[in-house]
DNA sequence: CATGAGAGTGGAACCGGTTCCAAAAAGGTG
DNA sequence: CACCTTTTTGGAACCGGTTCCACTCTCATG
């Protein structure tokens, strides 16, 4: 009583038609007589026929797979990004092959190798740094790669990022404009373009105002390093009256250290600005002033980009820069944004969208 | 000058051997003469040969795909779970096909249909509720399904959950033991076993102590509903002196409302306990007393379960219940846990692991 | 009524691998 | 050196679909 596998051929046989005809029944826009179609569909339904994507992909040469390489899921920005990427891709008819890989992993090469074996039609890389060799290989195979939230400076790859430079620049100018003079920057990883661009935005804004940064240190987006750096900042040299931090996760840790270990008031004694507008940072007890990266928009752009590259791999590498928004919480002193007019004025002055956070926003990202 | 596709046959031809021999070179433990192997490998390397997993899967009947259905990525528990699940699976030699689907989506059926088309060898469902029909279908096809962090009561499916009942029960007993008498429960979704079990743990602990709950309401794990329910709680009837909340995301919102809108001190006026031990809840300004679900362990158990089911689909459905840990922060009044002895005593009394949170823990989940 | 167009159909080759099987080559033994 | 065993090898079938092509059958047109 062994169960026979239900294949197209089996269906065809039982419906008394050729394999080719049966195939046409499941192909959009192929010409089949209505009566035949009905007969085949009935048999298929009765037997619970499941067409094999594997066989289909093999013969058509299209897999509809997109490889997504991610990491850092403890950062809400990446978690939200992955969610939007995934359902956007699946709505567009693609399947997500998910891989986790950190930047420094030696397995990186192997990981991508695997993706190629599975014949993905495109790759969205949100964490891995694509080495020259791998990028070349993908190019040879005609497989487009889109960098997400990072840019490969040496290689000319398509990428989706947000306006990191402008965001950090505007945030810094906000601090300067509100009267802070001893400003420090606890930066994100200086090997990633996000960290680099934000640090540059900070430095430039300081220089333009004729101010010398109290310090610029690399905390590599790691909370415990941010904690260390904060202690160092408070111990050595002149204490800052404001700190721009590389992302929200670190910024909240910084706030905890300032208040907990040094009894400082925020923003009374020190102002703090973060980056990302992570869900936690929106909570009442932090209400962090920060720069928002438009997660949803970025993810959708990335999908659009990879889609268009899959359809036409020859097109030149395009970079998409999504606009950032300055989100005003209550961690910067000297702010007065009670009227719509003053908000608009600030926005014009800083050259960036400004939004005042309404406390206890529902705040579910999408 | 058209580039010929590099296939096994091509390699074989160039190396002057048969396709079968070439295939054996890439098969572990097949017998090939060393000289021949070398020759084939050289040709393959020179041409940058990429074996097609598609073709391989089709002919061997093994895909090494595992479908993972998730959602709610704004909840750090799910984000961390997905991370661990993914890299554990990929270490075990499986590929993750990721799908996002909410519980009430009508597309659910379609989603799973798709997974079956792709011939996944197993499914880990962290969000979707598997309908009877679909479970039956998977069973017919011999495809194992493991529920993650939820249980399907009617269906006898394998599942990995944490000890929700015990966790909530212990948390409630902690509140009672520290002298609270007017205790409310803002529960998680009462259609999900997580929400149900926790609510039951709460009710039972109250009943055992002869206490009447001030209120039990369903906030469906949604922050804005938790906010609403908190307001209702404060407006109507007797005000609680403690609230057990269905998860950390909601608990933090509850704290914000209590402090922000009613000027209440936590834990002075009201004690709060959450559930999950989310990264944000560990931050200094919340330092929430909560119940930890062992993310890493749960994810690894899920992978182990699906692996063993793939190898032997006939085995009976097993349920894994991972132990919960009571993590003591500073949102419950009347606690005195300065000595190791007192911690151990409490642990024994409540029948659950107890841990006192050290402030500013590095706190990256794994 | 022959003619041509167009719809509907099935046979067979193909996608890129694996694997069964029988044949060829190599190695060991008396 | 004949004979048996073991290792290596290639041909061919197969996995489950798609698609090219040639063929049959209608039906409208000149």
């Amino acid at each position: 009583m062994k169960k026979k596998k239900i294949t197209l051929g089996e269906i065809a046989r039982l419906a008394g038609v050729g394999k080719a005809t049966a195939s046409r029944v499941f192909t959009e826009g192929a010409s089949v007589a209505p009566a035949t179609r009905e007969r085949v569909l009935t048999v298929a339904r009765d037997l619970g026929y499941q067409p094999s994507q594997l066989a289909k992909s093999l013969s058509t040469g299209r897999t509809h797979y997109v490889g997504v390489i991610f990491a850092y899921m403890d950062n809400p920005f990446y978690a939200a990004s992955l969610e939007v990427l995934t359902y956007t891709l699946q709505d567009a008819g693609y399947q997500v092959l998910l891989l986790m890989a950190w930047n420094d992993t030696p397995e990186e090469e192997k990981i991508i190798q695997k993706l190629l074996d599975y014949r993905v039609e495109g790759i969205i890389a949100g964490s891995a740094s694509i080495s020259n060799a791998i990028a070349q290989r993908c190019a040879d195979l005609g497989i487009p790669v889109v960098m997400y939230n990072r840019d490969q400076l040496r290689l000319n790859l398509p990428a989706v990022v947000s306006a990191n430079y402008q965001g950090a620049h505007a945030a810094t100018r906000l601090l300067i404009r509100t009267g802070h003079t001893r400003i420090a920057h606890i930066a994100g990883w200086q090997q990633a373009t996000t960290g680099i661009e934000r640090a540059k935005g900070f430095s430039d804004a300081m220089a333009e105002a004729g101010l010398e940064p109290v310090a610029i240190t690399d905390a590599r987006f790691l909370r415990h390093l941010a904690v260390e750096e904060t202690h160092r900042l408070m111990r050595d040299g002149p204490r800052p009256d404001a700190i721009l931090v590389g992302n929200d996760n670190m910024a909240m840790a910084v706030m905890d250290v300032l208040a907990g270990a040094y009894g400082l008031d925020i923003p009374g004694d020190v102002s703090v600005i973060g980056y990302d507008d992570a869900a936690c940072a929106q909570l009442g007890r932090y209400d962090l002033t920060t720069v928002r990266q438009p997660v949803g928009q970025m993810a959708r752009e990335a999908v659009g980009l990879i889609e268009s590259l899959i359809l036409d791999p020859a097109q030149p590498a395009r970079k998409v820069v999504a606009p950032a928004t300055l989100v005003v919480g209550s961690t910067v002193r000297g702010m007065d944004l009670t009227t719509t007019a003053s908000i608009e004025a600030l926005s014009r002055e800083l050259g960036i969208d400004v939004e005042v956070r309404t406390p206890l926003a529902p705040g579910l990202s999408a």
Side-chain angles (χ1 to χ4, degrees), chain A:
Chain A
M1 201 61 194
K2 117 175 161 198
K3 221 188 287 181
K4 205 165 171 87
K5 277 267 201 63
I6 303 153
T7 70
L8 226 208
E10 192 62 12
I11 300 290
R13 202 174 56 76
L14 291 177
V17 300
K19 240 172 90 177
T21 304
S23 171
R24 274 187 282 262
V25 170
F26 298 98
T27 310
E28 201 68 29
S31 92
V32 188
T36 314
R37 146 168 290 125
E38 215 39 60
R39 191 146 37 94
V40 172
L41 282 179
T42 305
V43 176
R45 207 169 305 121
D46 288 354
L47 270 66
Y49 169 62
Q50 293 271 355
S52 160
Q53 283 294 333
L54 245 46
K56 185 173 201 152
S57 294
L58 182 59
S59 73
T60 59
R62 291 216 58 179
T63 59
H64 296 280
Y65 288 145
V66 170
V68 174
I69 309 179
F70 253 63
Y72 319 120
M73 297 293 288
D74 52 291
N75 183 336
F77 171 78
Y78 284 107
S81 293
L82 182 56
E83 177 157 9
V84 182
L85 279 174
T86 302
Y87 70 70
T88 309
L89 280 169
Q90 91 194 19
D91 276 0
Y94 289 96
Q95 272 308 309
V96 172
L97 274 182
L98 179 63
L99 291 172
M100 290 282 163
W102 287 260
N103 237 322
D104 38 9
T105 317
E107 297 169 19
E108 234 183 282
E109 169 114 17
K110 241 190 280 176
I111 294 282
I112 301 208
Q113 198 63 240
K114 234 197 229 172
L115 281 182
L116 297 183
D117 290 350
Y118 277 98
R119 299 295 189 261
V120 294
E121 299 189 337
I123 295 177
I124 296 179
S127 71
S129 60
I130 305 293
S131 75
N132 234 310
I134 295 187
Q136 189 53 52
R137 182 149 205 165
C138 292
D140 283 352
L141 273 67
I143 295 175
V145 178
V146 170
M147 305 296 295
Y148 183 81
N149 199 39
R150 49 198 2 79
D151 200 350
Q152 207 77 9
L153 294 177
R154 258 158 291 187
L155 279 53
N156 185 35
L157 292 173
V160 176
V161 296
S162 75
N164 289 301
Y165 180 87
Q166 283 83 347
H169 192 272
T172 309
R173 284 185 61 194
L174 177 68
L175 290 173
I176 296 171
R177 179 189 179 284
T178 44
H180 302 82
T181 52
R182 302 187 312 282
I183 312 180
H185 179 36
I186 296 182
W189 196 32
Q190 292 300 298
Q191 304 273 37
T193 47
T194 42
I196 297 171
E197 291 291 310
R198 291 172 198 172
K200 191 147 52 173
F202 169 77
S203 301
D204 286 3
M206 292 294 279
E208 285 159 20
L211 287 175
E212 190 71 27
V214 169
I216 301 183
T217 64
D218 182 350
R220 299 174 50 193
F221 291 127
L222 298 171
R223 216 143 84 177
H224 69 273
L225 287 185
V227 169
E228 267 180 41
E229 292 301 336
T230 309
H231 280 298
R232 193 194 315 280
L233 222 50
M234 290 294 121
R235 251 186 291 119
D236 313 349
R239 289 195 172 179
D241 60 0
I243 307 179
L244 176 68
V245 189
N247 74 3
D248 286 356
N249 265 0
M250 295 196 295
M252 289 183 286
V254 169
M255 286 174 71
D256 284 353
V257 174
L258 293 175
Y262 298 91
L264 297 172
D265 179 57
I266 297 167
D269 301 315
V270 190
S271 294
V272 175
I273 296 187
Y275 213 105
D276 278 349
D277 197 31
C280 308
Q282 300 168 15
L283 288 167
R285 297 209 175 173
Y286 287 90
D287 191 22
L288 186 63
T289 296
T290 187
V291 181
R292 177 187 306 153
Q293 308 205 73
V295 184
Q297 190 187 334
M298 288 175 68
R300 279 186 290 268
E301 290 276 13
V303 173
L305 205 49
I306 200 78
E307 251 189 292
S308 102
L309 280 162
I310 287 174
L311 297 180
D312 171 20
Q315 70 189 279
R318 191 152 46 95
K319 311 259 183 199
V320 176
V321 180
T325 304
L326 183 64
V327 180
V328 177
S330 52
T331 56
V332 174
R333 73 159 187 271
M335 305 274 321
D336 174 29
L337 292 177
T338 42
T339 67
T340 335
S342 60
I343 295 176
E344 275 178 20
L346 181 63
S347 172
R348 250 192 310 280
E349 184 187 331
L350 299 179
I352 193 174
D353 275 354
V354 175
E355 199 179 300
V356 175
R357 178 148 50 225
T358 48
L360 277 181
L364 284 185
S365 53

